[in-house]
Amino acid sequence: AALLLVVGGLAKVRSPGDTARALHAVGIRAPFWAVRGGAALECAVGLGLLLVASPVFAALAALSYLAFTAFVVQALRVHSPLSTCGCFGAIDTPPSRVHVVIDVLVAISAATVAVVGTDVSLPTVLPDQPMAGVPFLMLVAIGTGLVFLAFSSLPRTLAAVREMQ
């Protein structure tokens, strides 16, 4: 979840146009500078969660994912004709129910970390991992990639299957 915040935030800082258009499509006017500012904050929360993992960063991550959930639900509710929600900059990630489910699950997970106060930052987890944490980091990268695919490719694949039926 933290790595997705960093990746998504960096993509939006670099290319805020799709996010600004997606927000506008659901009735939120946000200039590019505001999208970039929010994306930079998103990046900071993700990095904080990865490196420090304080309950504050976990709570901010939970709030971020709840905000993403609200946006995607609104986009689905108004049947906004978006090819992307802007989550990863210019990459097509259409709003979908899959997106909502993942966002809610991640928000619950981050809120749990915030309430329990467990330190699950990389500096505290890596020393306990075998082989200097390389397999762990590979699994984190693979998991992040799979969630990205669930956001980007799975909704389009499911839509194509529905059309064929």
Side-chain angles (χ1 to χ4, degrees):
L3 191 53
L4 283 174
L5 286 174
V6 173
V7 170
L10 286 174
K12 285 180 271 207
V13 164
R14 199 175 123 252
S15 178
D18 284 331
T19 302
R21 282 186 288 282
L23 289 168
H24 182 21
V26 298
I28 301 169
R29 294 197 183 272
F32 282 13
W33 64 265
V35 172
R36 280 195 170 108
L41 182 59
E42 181 182 337
C43 250
V45 169
L47 284 172
L49 198 54
L50 283 171
L51 301 175
V52 180
S54 76
V56 171
F57 283 118
L60 290 171
L63 290 173
S64 295
Y65 278 97
L66 286 175
F68 300 154
T69 302
F71 165 76
V72 175
V73 166
Q74 178 64 9
L76 292 171
R77 192 178 73 70
V78 299
H79 302 291
S80 179
L82 296 173
S83 63
T84 181
C85 62
C87 294
F88 297 102
I91 299 170
D92 285 350
T93 48
S96 69
R97 288 177 286 193
V98 171
H99 203 310
V100 171
V101 169
I102 292 171
D103 284 345
V104 167
L105 291 174
V106 171
I108 291 169
S109 176
T112 302
V113 169
V115 170
V116 173
T118 305
D119 186 357
V120 290
S121 63
L122 286 178
T124 59
V125 172
L126 284 180
D128 296 330
Q129 298 299 315
M131 297 174 23
V134 172
F136 176 79
L137 292 173
M138 289 174 63
L139 287 172
V140 168
I142 290 166
T144 303
L146 289 173
V147 172
F148 171 77
L149 287 174
F151 280 149
S152 60
S153 298
L154 185 58
R156 287 192 307 259
T157 304
L158 293 173
V161 168
R162 279 192 299 274
E163 285 181 17
M164 290 176 57
Q165 294 177 346

